[in-house]
Amino acid sequence: MPFNRKHLLGLEELSAEEITAILDAADTFKEISERPIKKVPALRGKTIANLFYEPSTRTRLSFELAEKRLSADSVSFSKQGSSVSKGETLRDTVENIQAMKVDMVVMRHQSSGAHRFLANFLDASIINAGDGQHEHPTQALLDMMTLRQRWKTFAGKRVTIIGDIMHSRVARSNIWGLTKLGASVTVCGPATMMPASVESLGEGGVTVEHDVRAAIAEADAINILRVQLERQKGRLFPSMREYFDVFGVTAEVLSHAPEHCIVMHPGPMNRGVEIGQEVADGDRAVILEQVTNGVAVRMAVLFLLAGGSLDAGTLQ
Amino acid sequence: MIDWKDKREFWIAGARIADPAAERMRVGSVLVQRGAIAEIVWQKSVDTDLPVLEADRFVLAPGFIDVHAHLREPGFEDKETIETGTAAAASGGYTAVLCMANTNPPIDDPSIVEYLGRRAALVGHCRLYIAGALTKGLQGEIINEYGLLKHAGVSALSDDGRWVTNSQVMRTALEYACQHGLPVIAHCEDSFLAQSSLMNEGYHSTRLGLRGNPAAAEEIAVSRDIMLAALTGAHLHVAHVSTAGAVDLIRRAKKRGVRVTAEATPHHLTLDDSLLESYDTNLKVQPPLRGRKDIEALRAGLLDGTIDCVATDHAPHTEIDKDVEFDEAPPGMIGLETAFAHLHTALVKTGAVDLLDLVRFLTARPAEALELPGGCLKKDAPADLVLIDPEEEWTLDRALIRSRSRNTPLVGTAFTGRVQGIFLEGKWRSAIMA
């Protein structure tokens, strides 16, 4: 299946076939990171700029490693210590970077729609590494890759996403991706962190549940979101201890899920807030596997957007 | 052929005349003498030695009146000035605009009112009415000197852009404004519920990850202000109504006899929140674009008289202001130059509203709502008129916008119906650049 897009702005605009094409490519790329020499020349000569307007550890390192393993030349930039602190606009910053002949721009930005804005005038490919509370497509893709490696198919499966749905770009991208591929999604969290009409989101909508035990009763996987205090305007729940008591996923809570149900978390985890210690470190958790898959997914996305096709010999 | 243009006496012959007081449009001819309407005759041609403008392709109506425009002077002259704002108004068919008080400094002192009056006389392209600030510095704390402001020439009072959150201050403002016979134009939006909001709250705000502004924010504010208007007997004018619930609240208040009037903007009457998926900052307005049901309710309200009139909320911002991330952009779009064509295309050509009604919403009804002169066709009244070609098809060209700012999502939009120009006290100003 050819993948002919210039940008990866979000999963809402992708078809099921396009998502599957990325996941297929990612499965292929995963093996490279297992090699003693973890490098292929697939993007040799391509230049990639990583622009991180928001703090990031995992996503940024994951993209940088993906770029290096594909032999791209990459430079990274964060909001601290850049011209942003001198008042330069986003448009000017990115146009200047493009003037240095960059082929791809990976960006995380606090404003929803920032990538769509750049796509209006940028020639380089744009990869969304998270925009405000809108989408975080590569996170959802790596979550789906992790699930698909166990399930083979999404049809008939249920994923429960627990936490601050309103402020979560991870939730939005997962809802679009999972429902397009045929999985059912339940969202669970405080009523104050449920966005309007969330039940209509995704292909065919999602189920909304406020009782965490009921929400996971039929889940094949649960995805626990971090409580994003930095995005909330005003307090949307009374205290951390109350959150943990009502929505925290502890071993006792998890005992209400089917035995085969696995536990995901996009990180960074707040242990003792949204996830209990014994769950985070338990044998149902696939959290580190997600991180491993993240590199493969990002290699796949970079490769496909650069116009690559997986013919024999590409990955030697 | 064009010798009527600079004459002090001429006929406009054979136009379809849209008189807001009449049942329907009729073909007639109007004699303009020394800046006033000297005669209206219901015949297609006139036997005269005076110059004649042959107007049988056109509709002739009273000049439009906009009761809600931000002309940005003083303080934000990079966005708009009295000169450019009134030029934009004139090319949109307006012979009068009311400018809002959120300038820098705000219009909260008689000296600024006098300054604006002098600017309008010097460089204005249409009549200027002025709203004085309701509270000092638009801070919502201390009421202004309404007596002095009225004496200096304000026609209304408003803290537009902000809601007066303190109900006691609003009560005092309404009581005192009532004593001075000045209407209070209220920007009804609960500032806590709407805090940091970027668009209408609903499916699309959830989908796009843009913080939502719930309809309740407007409806709570409208409810309180209606109650205070009832308590004080003051004249409350609700600016830019955007929700179905607010229309309903105003309808019921009018039925009870509360002195409330209201306006709706061309964009709230036509554009819905699904358009925001482009993240085009020119679609970011306050109150935000709402859903289809709200649009239908606004249209019904306009037709049944709940909404008195159309007002543009012309809100110029520079390209520098708007060419940024969505959450960084200031809210507002310009509207003076497109209001008629936009509504004629969306409402009249689709059969939802007839042309004479649209003319009423732009003329007699705003004049009546805010007790301003004009908006009618009367013998001996100033010849403030607009000439319209209802069939002309045209496309909005960014380069030909007369406002100093170009923040409109309508660039490239095809319209049917175009303002040809206005007569201001009988003096012709073409709307179309050569």
Side-chain angles (χ1 to χ4, degrees), chain B residues 102-154:
Chain B
N102 60 342
T103 51
N104 184 22
I107 309 174
D108 64 357
D109 189 275
S111 63
I112 301 168
V113 179
E114 283 158 20
Y115 164 79
L116 290 173
R118 278 203 303 275
R119 290 297 296 159
L122 209 60
V123 298
H125 295 270
C126 70
R127 293 177 199 279
L128 183 71
Y129 299 115
I130 299 166
L134 192 63
T135 65
K136 205 73 195 163
L138 308 168
Q139 293 301 303
E141 289 162 7
I142 302 159
I143 62 167
N144 270 334
E145 299 153 314
Y146 301 160
L148 293 174
L149 287 172
K150 185 178 184 186
H151 192 69
V154 304

Side-chain angles (χ1 to χ4, degrees), chain B residues 356-403:
Chain B
L356 182 56
D357 271 332
L358 176 57
V359 166
R360 288 190 184 102
F361 303 152
L362 293 164
T363 58
R365 292 200 5 195
E368 284 158 17
L370 288 177
E371 296 166 48
L372 299 171
C376 55
L377 288 177
K378 269 198 308 224
K379 192 168 170 329
D380 299 328
D384 286 3
L385 304 165
V386 58
L387 198 65
I388 299 159
D389 181 344
E391 303 305 329
E392 182 176 338
E393 299 191 345
W394 63 291
T395 300
L396 183 64
D397 179 348
R398 193 170 189 282
L400 298 183
I401 291 173
R402 299 206 191 189
S403 168

Side-chain angles (χ1 to χ4, degrees), chain A residues 146-161:
Chain A
T146 307
L147 295 172
R148 199 177 74 150
Q149 286 175 339
R150 285 186 166 63
W151 295 348
K152 309 304 172 208
T153 172
F154 289 92
K157 301 292 186 182
R158 178 168 294 277
V159 178
T160 297
I161 304 172

Side-chain angles (χ1 to χ4, degrees), chain A:
Chain A
M1 158 78 207
F3 187 87
N4 291 324
R5 284 183 186 264
K6 182 175 171 192
H7 309 300
L8 178 65
L9 302 180
L11 295 193
E12 183 186 349
E13 64 184 18
L14 297 193
S15 66
E17 291 72 27
E18 287 172 308
I19 294 169
T20 303
I22 298 172
L23 296 178
D24 288 347
D27 285 340
T28 310
F29 278 108
K30 190 173 183 183
E31 177 266 329
I32 293 168
S33 297
E34 311 290 340
R35 297 180 187 175
I37 295 173
K38 304 175 177 56
K39 206 173 182 82
V40 292
L43 292 187
R44 195 163 59 191
K46 297 282 184 195
T47 311
I48 302 175
N50 301 302
L51 315 185
F52 280 77
Y53 283 84
E54 277 188 334
S56 165
T57 308
R58 220 169 324 276
T59 305
R60 179 171 167 172
L61 283 177
S62 182
F63 267 109
E64 289 182 3
L65 284 172
E67 290 152 9
K68 290 184 194 320
R69 287 177 188 172
L70 292 172
S71 305
D73 297 310
S74 66
V75 287
S76 295
F77 146 110
S78 64
K79 194 171 175 178
Q80 295 77 25
S82 69
S83 298
V84 174
S85 48
K86 299 175 191 164
E88 189 177 45
T89 65
L90 174 63
R91 180 172 186 157
D92 282 340
T93 302
V94 176
E95 285 191 323
N96 274 274
I97 289 168
Q98 178 167 275
M100 300 178 211
K101 306 299 174 196
V102 164
D103 301 294
M104 305 177 106
V105 170
V106 174
M107 184 171 80
R108 165 167 292 186
H109 198 279
Q110 67 277 5
S111 300
S112 298
H115 301 76
R116 173 81 58 197
F117 166 63
L118 293 186
N120 292 334
F121 51 82
L122 219 60
D123 295 324
S125 280
I126 301 164
I127 296 161
N128 185 355
D131 65 323
Q133 29 190 291
H134 177 221
E135 285 227 44
H136 189 354
T138 57
Q139 177 68 44
L141 288 165
L142 72 88
D143 294 341
M144 292 169 72
M145 178 180 179
T146 307
L147 295 172
R148 199 177 74 150
Q149 286 175 339
R150 285 186 166 63
W151 295 348
K152 309 304 172 208
T153 172
F154 289 92
K157 301 292 186 182
R158 178 168 294 277
V159 178
T160 297
I161 304 172
I162 303 168
D164 179 359
I165 308 299
M166 181 185 281
H167 299 94
S168 176
R169 54 196 176 208
V170 175
R172 284 173 178 75
S173 287
N174 263 287
I175 288 170
W176 285 113
L178 289 166
T179 55
K180 278 171 192 276
L181 290 194
S184 303
V185 174
T186 297
V187 292
C188 175
T192 52
M193 299 183 198
M194 278 297 168
S197 305
V198 66
E199 66 282 355
S200 305
L201 215 55
E203 295 282 323
V206 302
T207 306
V208 181
E209 177 60 69
H210 296 293
D211 180 90
V212 68
R213 291 171 183 80
I216 64 173
E218 288 167 24
D220 299 294
I222 62 179
N223 200 343
I224 304 168
L225 304 175
R226 184 172 66 88
V227 176
Q228 301 191 63
L229 291 175
E230 74 277 13
R231 284 190 213 287
Q232 297 182 4
K233 312 277 182 194
R235 288 288 284 271
L236 298 178
F237 62 95
S239 69
M240 291 293 198
R241 67 175 191 178
E242 171 140 326
Y243 186 88
F244 187 59
D245 188 60
V246 181
F247 293 100
V249 180
T250 59
E252 185 280 318
V253 169
L254 194 57
S255 72
H256 291 80
E259 284 206 359
H260 65 272
C261 175
I262 57 170
V263 175
M264 300 195 290
H265 192 299
M269 285 188 280
N270 294 316
R271 290 168 185 255
V273 180
E274 71 266 1
I275 188 166
Q277 185 84 347
E278 66 286 5
V279 173
D281 300 327
D283 54 10
R284 297 214 212 173
V286 296
I287 296 166
L288 295 176
E289 198 180 318
Q290 289 173 269
V291 177
T292 304
N293 287 338
V295 178
V297 153
R298 285 161 184 135
M299 289 169 81
V301 166
L302 293 165
F303 181 75
L304 292 173
L305 289 178
S309 66
L310 286 167
D311 303 325
T314 309
L315 304 183
Q316 296 306 305

